[in-house]
Amino acid sequence: MLEAAERLHYVPSALAQRFARRKSGNLGVILPLVPKVRLFSTYYFSEILSGVGEEAGRHGYDLLLMFRKPDEKREYAMLFRTQKVDALIVLGSRDEPDERQALAELWRDGYPFCLVNQRFDEEPFPAVDADHESGSFQVVRHLAGQGCRRIAFVNGPLVYSNSADRLAGYRRALEASGLPFDPKRIYAGNYSRKSGLELAASIADAMRRGEVDGIFAGNDRMAIGIMQGLREFGLEAGADYALAGCDDSEGARMTDPQLTTLSVPFDRMGKLAARRLLAADETTWDTPILKLPVELIVRASTERFGSSSTTD
Amino acid sequence: MLEAAERLHYVPSALAQRFARRKSGNLGVILPLVPKVRLFSTYYFSEILSGVGEEAGRHGYDLLLMFRKPDEKREYAMLFRTQKVDALIVLGSRDEPDERQALAELWRDGYPFCLVNQRFDEEPFPAVDADHESGSFQVVRHLAGQGCRRIAFVNGPLVYSNSADRLAGYRRALEASGLPFDPKRIYAGNYSRKSGLELAASIADAMRRGEVDGIFAGNDRMAIGIMQGLREFGLEAGADYALAGCDDSEGARMTDPQLTTLSVPFDRMGKLAARRLLAADETTWDTPILKLPVELIVRASTERFGSSSTTD
DNA sequence: GTGAAAGCGCTAACAC
DNA sequence: GTGTTAGCGCTTTCAC
């Protein structure tokens, strides 16, 4: 009777449901907010977020987005204590004392969380990562295959595990190619285009001295900055030197020559992280750290180089 | 007494608080999800989202992110009825029957919401927009000032009010410059780089026939596609023709030549939309539609053009 | 199975 | 002011 009247317009209050069930129904996502200074590619986060959102939706969860201010102390566990989230995905995490401690607290108290594209090797923190080590290996091997003998590596900050991973892959690839490893050929950027641009001067010097003939940059943005910077010195990617980036972001197809890069399955990483946290049956919890493969995308910035130079 | 014991570890449950207060404490944000086909610049949304997030945080609100699948019906009002959100920001809205209806329902039932970068002129829907009309006017005037006499306009779909706005600004600027308006010089893209790339062939034709010597594209991505496509035909932006985009996205500084474009204050737009919805005292509710100014950013893609060609 | 009742952990309204 | 109590609108349990 009342049912009939109700059925017409009745909508249960999610607020009351969640309260009664003592479940927020929210999957929290932490994003680093770097206002006005875009160290991170928005591409990277958009992709991950799409994956997370899709999977969260499939499981009936809503996405609660939290921006982490650079200075602000990380009270990740508080999100669980206040019951704002049932599970948490942390993006753009860095290996720093504050961060480790906040994550350790989550782990100690048994709150379900997952890192994406970042690992803490000595810690048991669950993570979905990409195989940046083998990706870097591939790309540096490719550079060597194109005739490069002195391959420089422009890395980002080592607080990101993927920076260390790429460095390892770079070294291993040099070895496998019978090329010497020289710390002089490692340049420190910060993943911004600007940092690539600024490093160009000293890279150009090195190239002039014959000490660099190929460059692998830790992301596309730095690679693009390098390409632009070296152009100022009359040096063209794909002709005077080979250049590769990482991420296969939109920018990689916007430059001329287009950029050889590594395609990282960010959306799938986000999806997997969410599934790990939200799926009851599906078992991905056996290994704490999941690594997805990365794919080499060859474009013109490394293409024609091989034909001209093997001038050691 | 108990207080002492409590004070040490007690954390109130946001879930219970919100239930008791009958307020979700959430500001909903609707994002269009276009999986694998990135019609929208992620730049655009990241900027708005940052602004929204910052302001929401200042007011103690959390961000609830909802991806709108392309097909799925829009049940915006349901978000309020289920008490999932206290206010709603809608991004990437399009002027289509479904969308209008969903928004009209919000309006009819008095739910607080706000559109960003989209208007519905005949409807009373609150919105924070940018002045794309005057922005386009500026950029087309600039092109004319650089010596262009036959300025083409590559527009996006008219379901977005900003597309219509740019068209209006384009026409007005032609008039003000004493240049004829010719519908033949209007090209229909879809805001993707690919669409710009594909339009390049017919634009190149028109340029060969002397019917186009400058191009204004509705966003940077299309402009970049056009630049790349025309290069295939041996035509260089900033030398053979002038080219301008819109958004001042990261890509605009990645091309060579760098792209003249319009800087749109996306983050401030997001911030204002949030403030409008969340601030009690601060009064921005007098005008239903707020328009923020847009700024012309001159770069090399339109720079050197003026010196060479005034060959009508 | 169907229906009544006791919470969930707060807020707010009311007494004192 | 401080302390008490009645909800908030569901879920879940327990009796029928």
Side-chain angles (χ1 to χ4, degrees):
Chain A
M1 230 41 310
L2 350 137
E3 286 181 356
E6 279 180 337
R7 207 166 293 171
L8 215 47
H9 288 303
Y10 174 70
V11 175
S13 159
L15 217 49
Q17 286 181 322
R18 290 162 169 195
F19 169 63
R21 291 195 189 116
R22 271 154 302 185
K23 287 249 171 281
S24 70
N26 291 330
L27 171 59
V29 179
I30 304 279
L31 281 176
L33 178 63
V34 193
K36 293 288 109 192
V37 182
R38 289 173 254 300
L39 289 189
F40 285 99
S41 133
T42 60
Y43 172 78
Y44 171 111
F45 290 115
S46 316
E47 290 291 297
I48 298 178
L49 212 50
S50 297
V52 171
E54 189 183 326
E55 192 68 16
R58 294 196 336 104
H59 291 275
Y61 277 79
D62 290 321
L63 241 50
L64 203 68
L65 212 64
M66 329 281 305
F67 289 103
R68 178 212 303 124
K69 285 80 166 188
D71 44 339
E72 190 177 84
K73 66 173 146 184
R74 295 112 215 276
E75 301 259 40
Y76 298 157
M78 201 56 77
L79 292 172
F80 287 94
R81 299 211 179 89
T82 58
Q83 308 189 60
K84 282 194 174 186
V85 304
D86 299 331
L88 187 66
I89 287 181
V90 182
L91 305 186
S93 180
R94 302 149 53 116
D95 190 346
E96 289 171 341
D98 282 10
E99 184 81 11
R100 277 185 111 87
Q101 191 190 326
L103 295 172
E105 193 182 0
L106 290 180
W107 179 255
R108 168 171 58 77
D109 295 355
Y111 295 126
F113 72 102
C114 187
L115 300 166
V116 177
N117 205 33
Q118 170 77 11
R119 278 170 301 113
F120 288 78
D121 272 326
E122 330 80 279
E123 309 275 7
F125 307 154
V128 174
D129 203 357
D131 196 346
H132 296 289
E133 197 274 351
S134 113
S136 304
F137 179 83
Q138 287 176 64
V139 76
V140 174
R141 286 290 278 165
H142 166 71
L143 288 168
Q146 295 298 95
C148 297
R149 311 300 309 268
R150 278 95 191 268
I151 301 169
F153 175 43
V154 180
N155 205 0
L158 289 169
V159 289
Y160 303 109
S161 59
N162 52 67
S163 302
D165 290 347
R166 290 196 198 92
L167 179 58
Y170 165 76
R171 292 196 66 151
R172 186 160 67 82
L174 289 186
E175 255 176 59
S177 312
L179 297 175
F181 169 80
D182 185 342
K184 290 239 172 61
R185 281 198 273 270
I186 296 195
Y187 296 83
N190 69 0
Y191 288 131
S192 71
R193 188 182 60 97
K194 187 153 164 276
S195 73
L197 204 54
E198 290 167 352
L199 287 168
S202 61
I203 296 177
D205 265 0
M207 285 181 62
R208 286 273 151 72
R209 294 196 305 272
E211 283 164 16
V212 167
D213 56 6
I215 306 168
F216 169 44
N219 73 355
D220 290 342
R221 291 149 53 101
M222 290 196 295
I224 290 166
I226 291 164
M227 185 189 290
Q228 295 182 316
L230 289 180
R231 183 166 289 148
E232 301 289 311
F233 295 92
L235 297 163
E236 281 300 325
D240 303 312
Y241 67 101
L243 175 65
C246 180
D247 283 356
D248 194 22
S249 59
E250 295 192 288
R253 256 152 298 163
M254 291 183 172
T255 53
D256 183 33
Q258 295 196 351
L259 198 62
T260 289
T261 187
L262 292 165
S263 167
V264 182
F266 291 120
D267 55 340
R268 284 208 302 128
M269 290 164 72
K271 205 180 290 194
L272 270 178
R275 182 169 313 158
R276 230 175 131 136
L277 294 170
L278 305 180
D281 50 327
E282 313 183 49
T283 51
T284 19
W285 270 108
D286 41 346
T287 42
I289 294 175
L290 226 63
K291 274 193 206 176
L292 301 197
V294 148
E295 189 193 352
L296 176 64
I297 309 286
V298 176
R299 298 210 181 89
S301 69
T302 58
E303 228 166 43
R304 294 159 298 172
F305 182 75
S307 48
S308 59
S309 123
T310 322
T311 53
D312 193 6
Chain B
M1 228 44 308
L2 349 138
E3 286 180 356
E6 280 179 336
R7 207 166 293 172
L8 215 48
H9 288 303
Y10 173 71
V11 175
S13 160
L15 218 48
Q17 286 181 321
R18 290 163 169 193
F19 169 63
R21 290 195 188 116
R22 270 155 301 185
K23 287 250 171 279
S24 70
N26 291 331
L27 171 58
V29 180
I30 304 280
L31 281 176
L33 179 62
V34 193
K36 292 288 110 195
V37 182
R38 289 172 254 300
L39 289 189
F40 284 98
S41 134
T42 59
Y43 172 77
Y44 171 112
F45 291 115
S46 316
E47 289 292 297
I48 298 179
L49 213 50
S50 298
V52 171
E54 189 183 327
E55 192 67 15
R58 296 199 332 108
H59 292 274
Y61 277 79
D62 290 320
L63 241 49
L64 203 68
L65 213 63
M66 329 282 305
F67 290 102
R68 178 212 303 125
K69 284 82 166 187
D71 43 339
E72 191 176 82
K73 65 172 146 186
R74 295 113 214 275
E75 302 259 39
Y76 298 156
M78 202 56 78
L79 293 172
F80 287 94
R81 300 211 178 91
T82 58
Q83 308 189 59
K84 282 194 173 184
V85 304
D86 298 333
L88 187 65
I89 287 180
V90 182
L91 305 186
S93 179
R94 303 149 51 117
D95 190 347
E96 289 171 339
D98 282 10
E99 184 80 8
R100 279 185 109 86
Q101 192 190 326
L103 296 172
E105 192 181 1
L106 290 181
W107 179 255
R108 167 171 59 76
D109 295 355
Y111 295 126
F113 72 102
C114 187
L115 301 166
V116 177
N117 206 33
Q118 170 77 11
R119 280 171 298 114
F120 288 78
D121 271 327
E122 332 78 280
E123 310 273 7
F125 306 154
V128 174
D129 202 357
D131 195 346
H132 296 289
E133 197 275 350
S134 111
S136 305
F137 179 82
Q138 286 176 65
V139 77
V140 173
R141 285 290 276 166
H142 166 70
L143 287 169
Q146 294 299 94
C148 298
R149 311 299 309 269
R150 276 94 191 269
I151 302 169
F153 175 43
V154 180
N155 205 1
L158 289 170
V159 289
Y160 303 109
S161 60
N162 52 66
S163 303
D165 290 347
R166 289 195 198 92
L167 179 57
Y170 165 75
R171 292 195 67 152
R172 188 161 66 83
L174 290 186
E175 251 175 63
S177 311
L179 297 174
F181 169 79
D182 186 343
K184 290 239 172 61
R185 281 198 273 270
I186 296 194
Y187 297 83
N190 69 0
Y191 288 130
S192 71
R193 186 183 61 96
K194 187 150 164 276
S195 73
L197 204 54
E198 290 167 352
L199 287 169
S202 61
I203 296 177
D205 266 359
M207 284 180 62
R208 287 273 151 71
R209 293 196 305 272
E211 283 164 18
V212 167
D213 56 7
I215 306 168
F216 169 45
N219 74 354
D220 290 342
R221 292 150 54 100
M222 290 196 294
I224 291 166
I226 291 164
M227 184 189 291
Q228 295 182 316
L230 289 181
R231 183 166 289 149
E232 302 288 311
F233 294 92
L235 297 164
E236 282 299 326
D240 303 311
Y241 67 100
L243 175 65
C246 180
D247 283 356
D248 194 22
S249 60
E250 294 192 287
R253 255 153 300 163
M254 291 183 172
T255 54
D256 184 34
Q258 296 195 352
L259 197 61
T260 289
T261 187
L262 292 165
S263 168
V264 182
F266 291 121
D267 55 340
R268 284 207 304 128
M269 290 164 71
K271 205 179 290 191
L272 270 179
R275 183 169 314 157
R276 231 174 129 136
L277 294 170
L278 305 180
D281 50 329
E282 314 184 47
T283 51
T284 17
W285 270 109
D286 41 348
T287 43
I289 294 174
L290 226 64
K291 273 193 207 176
L292 302 197
V294 148
E295 189 192 353
L296 176 65
I297 310 286
V298 175
R299 299 209 180 88
S301 69
T302 57
E303 228 166 42
R304 292 159 301 173
F305 182 76
S307 47
S308 59
S309 122
T310 322
T311 53
D312 193 5

